[in-house]
Amino acid sequence: AATAAGSSGGGGGLATMAGLGGTNEFLDNILPCLRDPQPIVRVCAADALAECLKILMERQRGSMTAPLCTLYANMMEGLEYHGSGDGQGVGNAVDDKNNAPNSNRDSSSVAVTVATNAHGSLLTASEMIEHSKRFILPRFDELTKAILQFTTHHMALVRLEVIRLIPKLATRCPGIYRRRYLDQSLTFLIESASSAPPPKSRVDVRPTAFSAIGQLASAMRDEEAGGGDIMG
């Protein structure tokens, strides 16, 4: 994250990016940081991305569609998830290794990689929803479906990011969200708020889930959504 931020953090770098001259260079540096094995690096990279998106969208002199499409495509790659009920999302990537002696190790490694990529993509989604203006609107359904499939993921850090994203999605398009995704989201949030974490877990999603329920109710007050009763 420090490398990516350094390439765009100086005054000259930001000026160049505002003219779109260095946008691709910034993305080349920030995208690997969003897939870093360390969660803190991914979070810092997302913070750097947020600040740069703010500047780009405010000072843009040309179309931002191309760099936003690059960022969106990379994000959606990380959200490719075909998990079963256990939520591990390994999919078919290890099918050809099932008969190998080290198949358990391979499967575990793939699951960690999937979770790492998913977490980085969820962090990216949060910043794109907030800072890409109308770019996300025609892609709203695709993105929402991709995010909500992680409600059953086995890793609490991934589910925590989904919890944080639900109110942001609902606020972005309240009418569509109420009609298509409210029931699933509310069920997930209530279950998350009422379920104690496992004894050895270092992530407790309950406080964030309680907060997200209130934020979701606030989003549903929009007139297009037909009122603020999320239980209706």
Side-chain angles (χ1 to χ4, degrees):
T3 302
S7 67
S8 60
L14 289 177
T16 301
M17 287 186 64
L20 301 184
T23 305
N24 290 336
E25 181 181 353
F26 170 76
L27 290 179
D28 288 343
N29 282 281
I30 202 69
L31 293 179
C33 297
L34 291 163
R35 300 285 185 265
D36 192 272
Q38 296 299 321
I40 186 62
V41 175
R42 299 195 294 269
V43 171
C44 289
D47 288 343
L49 176 64
E51 294 304 315
C52 289
L53 282 177
K54 288 179 189 177
I55 293 171
L56 286 169
M57 299 307 290
E58 289 173 1
R59 305 180 186 179
Q60 58 179 321
R61 298 171 187 168
S63 174
M64 277 291 296
T65 301
L68 287 176
C69 282
T70 298
L71 185 60
Y72 182 83
N74 182 272
M75 175 187 71
M76 293 304 293
E77 285 182 9
L79 294 179
E80 290 180 358
Y81 175 67
H82 305 287
S84 56
D86 62 3
Q88 293 191 24
V90 178
N92 296 324
V94 296
D95 283 352
D96 58 342
K97 302 177 183 178
N98 285 340
N99 296 322
N102 60 345
S103 61
N104 289 338
R105 186 190 311 168
D106 292 337
S107 178
S108 176
S109 176
V110 172
V112 169
T113 300
V114 169
T116 296
N117 292 345
H119 184 244
S121 286
L122 291 169
L123 291 169
T124 303
S126 179
E127 305 310 335
M128 290 202 73
I129 292 167
E130 198 160 343
H131 302 300
S132 67
K133 296 186 178 179
R134 298 183 62 84
F135 174 85
I136 211 70
L137 296 183
R139 302 162 177 85
F140 181 80
D141 277 315
E142 179 186 33
L143 178 59
T144 302
K145 290 175 182 176
I147 290 171
L148 291 182
Q149 65 185 339
F150 286 93
T151 57
T152 59
H153 198 276
H154 72 291
M155 187 174 288
L157 188 64
V158 172
R159 298 197 308 275
L160 179 65
E161 204 56 43
V162 175
I163 290 170
R164 290 171 173 158
L165 275 165
I166 284 175
K168 291 187 177 184
L169 289 166
T171 300
R172 199 69 182 89
C173 295
I176 293 175
Y177 201 90
R178 178 185 178 93
R179 290 192 300 271
R180 301 177 184 174
Y181 309 109
L182 180 59
D183 289 346
Q184 177 186 357
S185 300
L186 191 56
T187 298
F188 167 63
L189 291 178
I190 291 174
E191 290 177 352
S192 299
S194 58
S195 301
K200 295 184 179 181
S201 176
R202 292 180 295 178
V203 179
D204 187 351
V205 304
R206 290 177 295 180
T208 306
F210 276 115
S211 177
I213 291 172
Q215 293 168 353
L216 181 59
S218 178
M220 293 298 100
R221 292 196 188 110
D222 189 280
E223 291 182 3
E224 183 183 355
D229 183 8
I230 64 175
M231 303 302 292

